[in-house]
Amino acid sequence: MTADASPAAELIEELVIANKILFRENVVDAFGHISVRHDKDRNKYLMARHLPPGMVTADDIVTFDLDSNALTHQGMAYYSERYIHGEVYKARQDVVSVVHCHARPLIPFGTAKGAKLRPMYHMSGFLAEGVPVFEIREAGGMTDMLIRTPELGKALAACLCDKAVVLMRGHGATMVGNSIRQAVFRAVYSTENASLQMSAHSLAENGEVEFLTAEEGRKADQWGRSTDRAWSLWRHQVTNL
Amino acid sequence: MTADASPAAELIEELVIANKILFRENVVDAFGHISVRHDKDRNKYLMARHLPPGMVTADDIVTFDLDSNALTHQGMAYYSERYIHGEVYKARQDVVSVVHCHARPLIPFGTAKGAKLRPMYHMSGFLAEGVPVFEIREAGGMTDMLIRTPELGKALAACLCDKAVVLMRGHGATMVGNSIRQAVFRAVYSTENASLQMSAHSLAENGEVEFLTAEEGRKADQWGRSTDRAWSLWRHQVTNL
Amino acid sequence: MTADASPAAELIEELVIANKILFRENVVDAFGHISVRHDKDRNKYLMARHLPPGMVTADDIVTFDLDSNALTHQGMAYYSERYIHGEVYKARQDVVSVVHCHARPLIPFGTAKGAKLRPMYHMSGFLAEGVPVFEIREAGGMTDMLIRTPELGKALAACLCDKAVVLMRGHGATMVGNSIRQAVFRAVYSTENASLQMSAHSLAENGEVEFLTAEEGRKADQWGRSTDRAWSLWRHQVTNL
Amino acid sequence: MTADASPAAELIEELVIANKILFRENVVDAFGHISVRHDKDRNKYLMARHLPPGMVTADDIVTFDLDSNALTHQGMAYYSERYIHGEVYKARQDVVSVVHCHARPLIPFGTAKGAKLRPMYHMSGFLAEGVPVFEIREAGGMTDMLIRTPELGKALAACLCDKAVVLMRGHGATMVGNSIRQAVFRAVYSTENASLQMSAHSLAENGEVEFLTAEEGRKADQWGRSTDRAWSLWRHQVTNL
């Protein structure tokens, strides 16, 4: 890789901070990961080597091609599910960042029969376009649930389709965004929405809840300023520990 | 603005502390805001510029007129929902402080059909007078859910009427008080009440709960000493970090 | 008060630590209080002046007679509900310490119709003897819910009877013990039990739960060593902040 | 005990760290314990003396024989339930480490009638083999619920059988592993699974949830790398306080 092709130091720093934020906000624990598309080459992406997100530093950021082969940090361990990232970048030219997590409030929405994650409020308007649930049995039969191959990654990306979030039955969720900040924002607020929605169903007569309509959701998803406002707080929290 | 018209430094400091308390008590996250009526001019109010409440300092406090035009800090970004504050101050001469938030336990009460926030105990007696739910569709049709205009602010203030708290469907809640301390107290304990009430409904046979009566609520809302006791603790916590 | 009659410094220190523990364990917030019977005079008790428990120091510990008149710290503000303590000490010669709190998990058990706090496990065997619910309307009609008078205190003590815990509808709970440590232990684990029980009811088919029997509860309540083990941890946590 | 027979310092350190991790992850509070089989003698095991896990240091690690007699630290207090450990080591040659706890989310699964802990996701595939519930009444009649004798320990070990986890009605749970790390991992993720499962049941239509199949669970339980990844984070957190 030539010097020109190296990712900007600012992008790597943003990715490191994103790792710490996702950990602090309980979106990830020792598991889960976030990647960003390479700023100099759309056919590469950046992601930490096999480490808990809360322990990632700039030195741990590996460059991968879209087949999820490591181009740096040779011989080190990588996340076995890196195919989630590579295959989503192939399928979605609009996507710049991908989060994969096992956030506690989201798991039940991928596992409880008949449950459907829907937008409770303006912070999660991006859910209004629909949240598909990926059933790995359809793509891989009886597995260990992990996206360990390019084929499973492709199947997940196909299920995600043009949406912001895909739930994975018996496993977790994957979110995408047009920037690290948007992907993190969506990860945090789809998790928050899941908490809110569980309470709402248990509170409502007959479980009926008034969600945002498609139009309300679409409009509420258009204010970019809020992503930066949240980021400024989260960044402050993880860099001032 | 002449020197005479400047707000007291103590008031600004109290407002800054209130921002930090609301953040620490999980009433607000990166979003939400608190304002106070100007102590020298009833037709103005004070509120932070566009910042997460947890990051607000005295230098960030803007003076607004009741049409929510900024009179200081020109050219900076302001909360897009400042009309909540200005229009409530116009409509409610008794109100000295306004909180707007998306506190997690409150959202379901504005969104679940048939749910009704009611006083579980003496700490939230102020709920006994009733808690209206604002449906923005009635005032604005299909929106991004935010109170972005004076008209929507007026409609919200009309829905709040003479009450202490108004829930906002698919969005959050707004609380008012005759001081910063009372508004913060009501924000914290309406949130706490929502948590308690959710548990009570799920525990009760047929969901039936014995709430405070109107008279119990009214009486329980009259001991001002408790507001100062809570404030002394909360102030200590955010100023001794 | 003569020097002889002064409480032991160790007792005051234990009471201060108990205040901090109850705060740290989320049994109390800015409200709630703990008292201990005077070690030199059974007709007096010790309790903080009107302060949030988390802020109490040795200098704040007031001596009261059993009518809840302050014998020290004259002219200062005291908890308006101190009659809970005085009247329980009069009625219960076995009681050495009293906790009053509004712990979040306990409130619904005093408020939801048909709910009954019962021992989920060996840590809360003391609940097996039964947990009465105090309805202040029977003793005082429509009030502000507080135990503001000796009469209300007497009525509460009568409802507590010979039990370890009494729930107070629309208000909170009161626990007693034969030492500060036992009262704190019971406060923490009746709160924990309430959390466990709510989950168990929602999980069980038809809400049926297998509680400890009276005999299991009685036996489980007899191991005093556990109180000291918990205290050693809690003390460590609040004195090593 | 000769010098040869002393456990490796690394094993003791790992056990101390495990104590701190279990405390920090809310698997244990002041109560609960973890042991490891002696690395030089399969007929002995190591466990702290009678202390809250969060306060254990290397000096507190006692060597026990499999009848749970202390071979070191004579005359000190030991956990009264140490028979859980000794009898499991006798019955299960494959087991190297045992955790006993009262983790909040697990208790209801041992107590609510008809409830059954089952694997929600790949992190807890080890639950797919089934989770027995130990009813102490069958082995000991009306007790204080504790495993105070070798006989009760044997009965518990028989109930655990060849599984990874056994729930104890009205008491807690016991997990086993082929290393300290695996036992801790199973303790943390069976607790997490319990939280997830409670939400899933309340969310699902008719309470129906799609759990991992036996095959999915078995496969998901085979990736040892994840245990080390979680350990690296948890170790970091408790050694960098």
Side-chain angles (χ1 to χ4, degrees):
Chain A
M1 205 165 55
T2 68
D4 280 0
S6 288
E10 293 74 20
L11 187 67
I12 288 181
E13 197 210 332
E14 185 111 335
L15 185 58
V16 170
I17 288 171
N19 271 275
K20 294 188 193 305
I21 289 171
L22 291 173
F23 179 56
R24 194 180 186 285
E25 296 293 317
N26 294 311
V27 172
V28 300
D29 56 2
F31 302 94
H33 15 84
I34 177 170
S35 68
V36 64
R37 206 186 276 267
H38 197 299
D39 55 329
K40 307 270 172 55
D41 184 343
R42 291 187 57 74
N43 292 316
K44 294 177 183 160
Y45 69 93
L46 311 173
M47 184 164 66
R49 62 186 179 91
H50 186 259
L51 278 177
M55 298 180 73
V56 168
T57 67
D59 289 343
D60 302 312
I61 302 299
V62 184
T63 301
F64 294 95
D65 66 24
L66 295 194
D67 290 329
S68 297
N69 299 305
L71 303 178
T72 64
H73 299 68
Q74 303 287 341
M76 289 189 161
Y78 318 115
Y79 297 130
S80 53
E81 297 199 285
R82 58 195 180 277
Y83 306 102
I84 294 171
H85 302 262
E87 299 304 323
V88 166
Y89 289 122
K90 282 186 201 170
R92 288 278 297 270
Q93 288 305 312
D94 61 312
V95 167
V96 177
S97 183
V98 178
V99 172
H100 170 64
C101 69
H102 315 150
R104 185 186 289 174
L106 288 172
I107 304 288
F109 282 90
T111 307
K113 288 188 187 166
K116 223 171 141 175
L117 190 66
R118 296 187 61 190
M120 286 286 295
Y121 67 161
H122 62 304
M123 302 302 294
S124 45
F126 55 87
L127 298 175
E129 56 186 21
V131 181
V133 179
F134 178 69
E135 172 50 83
I136 195 169
R137 286 177 198 156
E138 293 172 9
M142 287 294 143
T143 64
D144 68 357
M145 310 306 290
L146 299 187
I147 306 296
R148 288 193 181 280
T149 65
E151 290 65 38
L152 288 169
K154 269 188 232 320
L156 178 68
C159 182
L160 168 66
C161 191
D162 60 347
K163 306 297 188 286
V165 181
V166 58
L167 297 172
M168 302 154 83
R169 195 270 310 162
H171 181 171
T174 297
M175 300 82 173
V176 300
N178 60 20
S179 67
I180 289 176
R181 295 180 186 200
Q182 190 183 57
V184 169
F185 186 91
R186 287 174 169 181
V188 171
Y189 283 103
S190 52
T191 300
E192 180 73 12
N193 189 90
S195 293
L196 296 173
Q197 195 177 338
M198 271 188 279
S199 297
H201 284 303
S202 89
L203 192 63
E205 284 170 11
N206 310 314
E208 274 185 82
V209 177
E210 186 70 38
F211 298 105
L212 297 204
T213 62
E215 187 178 347
E216 287 171 336
R218 199 163 46 242
K219 287 180 172 170
D221 195 29
Q222 280 163 11
W223 26 296
R225 208 170 62 158
S226 64
T227 307
D228 288 336
R229 180 160 148 205
W231 185 265
S232 73
L233 175 67
W234 294 334
R235 186 188 201 293
H236 176 78
Q237 291 178 311
V238 298
T239 55
N240 285 275
L241 289 181
Chain B
M1 205 164 56
T2 70
D4 279 359
S6 289
E10 293 73 20
L11 187 67
I12 288 180
E13 196 210 334
E14 185 110 335
L15 185 58
V16 169
I17 288 170
N19 272 276
K20 294 189 193 306
I21 290 171
L22 291 172
F23 178 56
R24 194 181 186 284
E25 296 293 317
N26 294 312
V27 172
V28 300
D29 55 2
F31 303 94
H33 15 84
I34 177 169
S35 67
V36 65
R37 207 185 275 268
H38 197 300
D39 56 328
K40 308 271 172 54
D41 185 344
R42 292 187 56 74
N43 292 314
K44 294 176 184 161
Y45 70 93
L46 311 173
M47 185 165 64
R49 62 186 179 91
H50 185 259
L51 278 178
M55 298 180 74
V56 168
T57 68
D59 288 344
D60 301 313
I61 302 300
V62 184
T63 301
F64 294 95
D65 66 24
L66 296 194
D67 290 330
S68 296
N69 299 306
L71 305 177
T72 64
H73 299 69
Q74 302 288 341
M76 288 188 163
Y78 317 115
Y79 296 129
S80 53
E81 297 198 286
R82 58 194 179 278
Y83 306 102
I84 294 172
H85 302 263
E87 299 304 324
V88 166
Y89 289 121
K90 282 185 200 169
R92 286 279 297 271
Q93 289 305 312
D94 61 312
V95 167
V96 177
S97 183
V98 178
V99 172
H100 170 64
C101 69
H102 315 148
R104 186 186 289 173
L106 288 172
I107 304 287
F109 283 90
T111 307
K113 289 187 186 166
K116 223 171 140 176
L117 191 65
R118 296 188 60 191
M120 286 286 295
Y121 68 161
H122 61 304
M123 302 301 295
S124 45
F126 55 87
L127 298 176
E129 56 186 22
V131 181
V133 178
F134 178 69
E135 173 49 85
I136 196 170
R137 287 178 197 155
E138 292 171 10
M142 287 295 143
T143 65
D144 68 357
M145 309 306 291
L146 299 186
I147 306 297
R148 289 193 180 280
T149 65
E151 289 65 38
L152 288 169
K154 269 188 231 321
L156 178 68
C159 182
L160 169 66
C161 191
D162 61 347
K163 305 298 188 286
V165 180
V166 59
L167 296 172
M168 303 153 83
R169 195 269 312 160
H171 181 172
T174 297
M175 300 82 174
V176 300
N178 60 18
S179 67
I180 288 175
R181 294 179 187 201
Q182 191 183 55
V184 168
F185 186 91
R186 287 175 169 181
V188 170
Y189 282 103
S190 52
T191 300
E192 180 73 12
N193 189 90
S195 291
L196 297 173
Q197 194 177 338
M198 271 189 278
S199 296
H201 284 303
S202 89
L203 193 64
E205 283 169 12
N206 310 315
E208 275 186 81
V209 177
E210 186 69 39
F211 298 105
L212 297 204
T213 62
E215 187 177 346
E216 287 172 334
R218 200 164 46 242
K219 286 181 172 170
D221 194 31
Q222 279 163 11
W223 27 296
R225 207 170 63 158
S226 64
T227 307
D228 288 337
R229 179 159 148 207
W231 186 265
S232 74
L233 174 67
W234 294 334
R235 186 187 201 293
H236 176 78
Q237 291 178 311
V238 299
T239 55
N240 285 276
L241 289 181
Chain C
M1 207 165 52
T2 68
D4 279 0
S6 289
E10 293 72 21
L11 187 66
I12 289 181
E13 197 210 333
E14 184 111 335
L15 185 57
V16 170
I17 288 171
N19 271 276
K20 294 188 192 305
I21 290 170
L22 292 172
F23 178 57
R24 193 180 186 286
E25 297 293 316
N26 294 310
V27 171
V28 301
D29 55 2
F31 302 95
H33 17 84
I34 176 170
S35 68
V36 65
R37 207 186 275 269
H38 197 299
D39 55 331
K40 308 270 171 54
D41 185 344
R42 291 187 57 74
N43 293 315
K44 294 175 185 162
Y45 69 93
L46 311 173
M47 186 164 63
R49 63 186 179 90
H50 185 258
L51 278 177
M55 298 179 73
V56 168
T57 68
D59 288 344
D60 302 313
I61 302 299
V62 184
T63 302
F64 294 95
D65 66 23
L66 296 194
D67 290 329
S68 297
N69 298 307
L71 304 178
T72 64
H73 299 69
Q74 303 287 340
M76 288 189 163
Y78 318 115
Y79 297 129
S80 53
E81 297 198 286
R82 58 195 179 277
Y83 305 103
I84 294 172
H85 302 262
E87 298 304 325
V88 166
Y89 288 121
K90 282 187 202 168
R92 287 280 296 271
Q93 288 305 312
D94 61 313
V95 167
V96 178
S97 183
V98 178
V99 172
H100 171 63
C101 68
H102 314 149
R104 185 186 289 173
L106 288 171
I107 304 288
F109 283 90
T111 306
K113 288 189 187 165
K116 224 172 141 174
L117 190 65
R118 298 188 59 192
M120 285 286 295
Y121 68 161
H122 61 304
M123 303 302 294
S124 45
F126 56 88
L127 298 176
E129 56 186 21
V131 181
V133 179
F134 179 69
E135 173 50 85
I136 196 170
R137 287 177 198 156
E138 292 171 10
M142 288 293 143
T143 65
D144 69 356
M145 311 304 291
L146 298 186
I147 307 297
R148 288 193 180 281
T149 65
E151 289 66 36
L152 288 169
K154 268 188 233 319
L156 177 67
C159 182
L160 169 66
C161 191
D162 61 348
K163 305 297 187 287
V165 180
V166 59
L167 297 173
M168 303 154 82
R169 196 268 311 160
H171 181 171
T174 297
M175 300 81 175
V176 300
N178 60 18
S179 67
I180 289 176
R181 294 180 187 201
Q182 192 183 55
V184 169
F185 186 92
R186 287 175 169 180
V188 170
Y189 283 104
S190 53
T191 300
E192 180 73 12
N193 189 90
S195 292
L196 296 173
Q197 195 177 339
M198 271 189 279
S199 296
H201 284 304
S202 90
L203 193 63
E205 283 169 10
N206 311 315
E208 274 186 81
V209 177
E210 186 69 38
F211 298 106
L212 296 205
T213 62
E215 187 177 347
E216 287 171 335
R218 201 164 45 244
K219 287 180 172 170
D221 194 31
Q222 279 163 10
W223 26 296
R225 205 171 63 157
S226 64
T227 307
D228 288 337
R229 178 160 149 205
W231 185 264
S232 74
L233 175 68
W234 294 334
R235 187 188 200 292
H236 176 78
Q237 290 178 312
V238 299
T239 55
N240 285 276
L241 289 180
Chain D
M1 207 165 53
T2 68
D4 279 359
S6 289
E10 292 73 20
L11 187 66
I12 289 181
E13 197 210 332
E14 185 111 334
L15 186 58
V16 170
I17 288 171
N19 272 276
K20 294 188 193 306
I21 290 171
L22 291 172
F23 179 56
R24 192 180 187 285
E25 296 293 317
N26 295 310
V27 171
V28 301
D29 57 1
F31 302 94
H33 15 85
I34 177 169
S35 68
V36 65
R37 207 185 275 268
H38 197 298
D39 55 330
K40 308 270 172 54
D41 185 345
R42 291 186 57 73
N43 292 315
K44 294 177 184 161
Y45 70 93
L46 311 173
M47 185 164 65
R49 62 186 180 91
H50 185 258
L51 277 178
M55 298 180 73
V56 168
T57 68
D59 288 343
D60 302 312
I61 302 300
V62 185
T63 301
F64 295 95
D65 66 22
L66 296 194
D67 290 330
S68 297
N69 299 306
L71 304 178
T72 64
H73 299 69
Q74 303 289 339
M76 289 190 162
Y78 317 115
Y79 298 129
S80 53
E81 296 198 286
R82 58 194 180 278
Y83 306 102
I84 294 172
H85 302 262
E87 299 304 324
V88 166
Y89 289 121
K90 282 186 202 169
R92 288 279 297 270
Q93 289 305 312
D94 60 312
V95 167
V96 177
S97 182
V98 178
V99 172
H100 170 64
C101 69
H102 314 149
R104 185 186 290 173
L106 288 171
I107 305 287
F109 283 90
T111 307
K113 288 188 188 166
K116 223 172 141 173
L117 190 66
R118 297 187 60 190
M120 286 285 295
Y121 67 161
H122 62 304
M123 302 302 294
S124 45
F126 55 88
L127 299 176
E129 57 186 21
V131 181
V133 178
F134 178 69
E135 172 50 85
I136 195 169
R137 287 177 198 157
E138 293 171 10
M142 288 292 143
T143 64
D144 69 357
M145 311 305 291
L146 298 187
I147 306 297
R148 287 193 181 281
T149 65
E151 290 66 36
L152 288 169
K154 270 187 232 318
L156 178 67
C159 183
L160 169 66
C161 191
D162 61 346
K163 305 298 187 286
V165 180
V166 59
L167 297 172
M168 302 154 84
R169 196 270 308 161
H171 180 172
T174 297
M175 300 83 175
V176 300
N178 60 18
S179 67
I180 289 176
R181 295 180 186 199
Q182 191 182 56
V184 169
F185 186 92
R186 286 175 169 180
V188 171
Y189 283 103
S190 52
T191 300
E192 180 73 12
N193 189 90
S195 292
L196 296 173
Q197 196 177 339
M198 272 189 277
S199 296
H201 284 303
S202 91
L203 191 64
E205 284 171 9
N206 310 314
E208 274 186 81
V209 177
E210 185 69 37
F211 297 105
L212 296 205
T213 62
E215 186 177 347
E216 286 171 336
R218 199 164 45 243
K219 287 181 172 170
D221 194 30
Q222 280 163 10
W223 26 295
R225 206 169 64 157
S226 64
T227 307
D228 288 336
R229 179 160 149 205
W231 185 265
S232 73
L233 175 67
W234 294 334
R235 187 189 200 292
H236 176 78
Q237 290 178 312
V238 298
T239 55
N240 285 275
L241 288 180

